[in-house]
Amino acid sequence: DDTNLEPTERVDADDEFGEADEVEDVSQLEIETETFGELRLSEQAIVKVQAGLALLIEGVGSVEAAGEAIYATLFEAAPSLQSLYKTP
């Protein structure tokens, strides 16, 4: 069950060629903060992301709860990003 990944668990990260690399610690993945380039995903990656989001929504019960879980995880992993987002 990948819905509760801990930072030290193994995850797959697609590289620029669409091949998966195993990443031991997601905290070691780089986040680009200086530029915002267009994100291009392969059809396979899009299908995987959509399937993963559907599983998350099913697991937490609603789209709103899924969004809250995603942002809570993001802000827990990188608290400095929270100031970049506005909340109602």
Side-chain angles (χ1 to χ4, degrees), residues 13-66:
D14 285 343
D15 66 14
E16 62 187 318
F17 302 107
E19 299 172 358
D21 291 330
E22 290 184 349
V23 178
E24 290 289 334
D25 184 353
V26 294
S27 67
Q28 299 303 310
L29 296 175
E30 291 184 35
I31 298 174
E32 177 58 54
T33 59
E34 300 300 318
T35 62
F36 187 75
E38 184 175 341
L39 177 63
R40 295 180 184 263
L41 300 173
S42 68
E43 282 297 318
Q44 182 182 18
I46 292 168
V47 168
K48 287 181 178 182
V49 169
Q50 289 174 334
L53 286 173
L55 284 172
L56 176 62
I57 292 166
E58 181 182 324
V60 297
S62 72
V63 172
E64 291 79 14

Side-chain angles (χ1 to χ4, degrees), residues 60-80:
V60 297
S62 72
V63 172
E64 291 79 14
E68 289 173 11
I70 290 169
Y71 283 106
T73 302
L74 173 66
F75 298 147
E76 182 179 319
S80 64

